[in-house]
Amino acid sequence: MQSLDFEQPVVELETKIDELRHLSDGGRVNIGAEISKLQTKVNKLLTSLYDKLSPSQKVMVARHPDRPHCTHYIKALIEDFTPLAGDRLFGEDLAVIGGIGMFRGFPCVVIGQEKGFDTQSRIKHNFGMAKPEGYRKAQRLMHLAEKFRLPIITLVDTAGAFPGVDAEARGQAQAIARSIEVCLNVKTPLISCIIGEGGSGGAIALAAADRILMLEHSIYSVISPEGCASILWRNAANAPEAAQALKLTAQDLQKLGIIDEIIKEPIGGAQRDPKQAMEAVGDALEKALKELSAVDKQKIVAKRRKKFLAMGKKGFD
């Protein structure tokens, strides 16, 4: 597994553990006991490091290539998933994955952003950066969910919408704005979970939800720290300062009332135990879905609008 800069002390201990596992000394040393002691040290050190991550370190963790992606969550949590493709206007966009399936007994529509996990899949999914057809596909699936009275689950993980000329020519801004509008008006429960990087309007387009959940070490921001630093300081090297100012961590966003719940990650982040992380996300989604299923569908849109209007009002209080 790829290690991050601040994890170097952990890497040194884990290297020693690997060396011990390959050591054969004729039984003179209880290798199992030594490994157990070192593993305890690793867990304590990881807990200590991850309890006091800076915002810029959170950014690194959120972007870690070994964190579980949208397709991993769908495979682990959604039974009988049937993907649905295309926006019925231009074409298919594999940066956005969507379809119908069963989540713990609930039929639902699932929409997520997939970055890819190796060179080939990253190119295939355009690094999770959707074009207008991706957001229009999401709108189509939300309307489908509304028609058949199915709840919607969205899994957010993107650096932002694709910034290319061809996307702009096909109406990128309008597609994002329209997607946010559909999120706010769809007459069915909508739950969003930020599983990695929630960047710019590309994330908000799927996250204007009744419940916004966020993994402990994920990020959610109007712009990337590098983009912000390039604008304010004319230098991307100031990204750590920008990350601090942007209040992009789950902890900051919960204090500001932007998100509703933080999902605890395994020791050392979701990348160290993807199965446990996905199970925790599944439990949080199930809890939110059960709560929202009890809400009168005629009132759900009004409650959702009130929630987001309150966020805007809070900034002027």
Side-chain angles (χ1 to χ4, degrees):
M1 186 182 72
Q2 181 178 317
S3 61
L4 302 172
D5 292 345
F6 63 86
E7 292 180 320
Q8 192 55 41
V10 175
V11 173
E12 291 172 4
L13 284 173
E14 289 180 327
T15 301
K16 290 180 182 178
I17 290 173
D18 287 338
E19 289 172 355
L20 278 174
R21 284 187 174 134
H22 291 89
L23 179 65
S24 176
D25 64 350
R28 291 190 299 273
V29 178
N30 187 340
I31 294 176
E34 289 299 314
I35 289 174
S36 180
K37 287 179 184 177
L38 286 174
Q39 189 61 55
T40 299
K41 287 183 179 179
V42 166
N43 291 340
K44 286 182 178 178
L45 187 53
L46 279 171
T47 300
S48 175
L49 285 172
Y50 275 76
D51 279 347
K52 54 185 179 183
L53 291 179
S54 68
S56 60
Q57 289 171 333
K58 291 262 190 185
V59 173
M60 287 191 280
V61 176
R63 293 172 176 171
H64 198 292
D66 295 325
R67 284 177 76 86
H69 291 191
C70 167
T71 49
H72 299 134
Y73 281 94
I74 290 174
K75 185 176 180 181
L77 299 175
I78 309 299
E79 297 178 11
D80 301 322
F81 180 70
T82 302
L84 299 173
D87 66 344
R88 303 297 187 266
L89 289 170
F90 181 83
E92 168 67 330
D93 185 348
L94 290 174
V96 175
I97 306 295
I100 298 175
M102 293 290 292
F103 169 67
R104 297 188 178 181
F106 291 93
C108 63
V109 167
V110 182
I111 306 168
Q113 291 152 325
E114 175 58 48
K115 286 183 172 181
F117 43 86
D118 57 25
T119 302
Q120 186 176 355
S121 63
R122 284 169 188 154
I123 292 170
K124 175 183 175 182
H125 295 287
N126 200 34
F127 298 84
M129 295 186 292
K131 297 179 181 180
E133 50 270 26
Y135 296 110
R136 290 179 181 132
K137 174 169 72 173
Q139 295 163 34
R140 181 172 75 82
L141 296 183
M142 288 183 215
H143 285 308
L144 184 72
E146 181 180 52
K147 179 178 179 179
F148 292 103
R149 301 179 183 178
L150 300 176
I152 303 165
I153 294 172
T154 68
L155 302 168
V156 176
D157 188 17
T158 181
F162 183 66
V165 173
D166 58 331
E168 297 296 336
R170 293 201 296 276
Q172 183 74 290
Q174 190 273 348
I176 292 171
R178 177 62 178 154
S179 190
I180 295 170
E181 181 185 24
V182 173
C183 282
L184 291 172
N185 288 292
V186 69
K187 296 180 180 68
T188 194
L190 173 55
I191 306 164
S192 180
C193 184
I194 297 159
I195 58 175
E197 187 176 11
S200 190
I204 299 170
L206 297 184
D210 298 297
R211 292 280 193 284
I212 304 173
L213 316 177
M214 199 167 170
L215 276 169
E216 183 182 6
H217 303 306
S218 57
I219 60 170
Y220 188 26
S221 173
V222 72
I223 190 172
S224 71
E226 295 82 3
C228 178
S230 296
I231 294 169
L232 295 183
W233 290 280
R234 308 292 184 197
N235 189 346
N238 291 95
E241 296 170 67
Q244 182 72 42
L246 283 167
K247 304 294 182 186
L248 45 64
T249 70
Q251 294 72 24
D252 283 330
L253 292 165
Q254 189 177 48
K255 288 177 184 175
L256 293 169
I258 304 299
I259 67 165
D260 300 294
E261 183 181 340
I262 298 173
I263 302 170
K264 184 81 173 169
E265 294 192 26
I267 295 172
Q271 67 275 10
R272 285 186 170 266
D273 193 341
K275 185 177 179 180
Q276 185 182 336
M278 291 187 287
E279 189 68 21
V281 168
D283 291 343
L285 288 171
E286 183 180 12
K287 177 187 170 188
L289 193 51
K290 286 179 178 177
E291 291 173 354
L292 289 169
S293 296
V295 178
D296 187 330
K297 301 302 181 289
Q298 299 302 317
K299 297 178 181 178
I300 201 162
V301 173
K303 288 174 69 72
R304 192 184 304 141
R305 288 181 179 178
K306 185 178 179 181
K307 170 185 174 177
F308 283 91
L309 286 170
M311 291 181 195
K313 183 176 181 294
K314 188 173 182 180
F316 295 97
D317 287 342

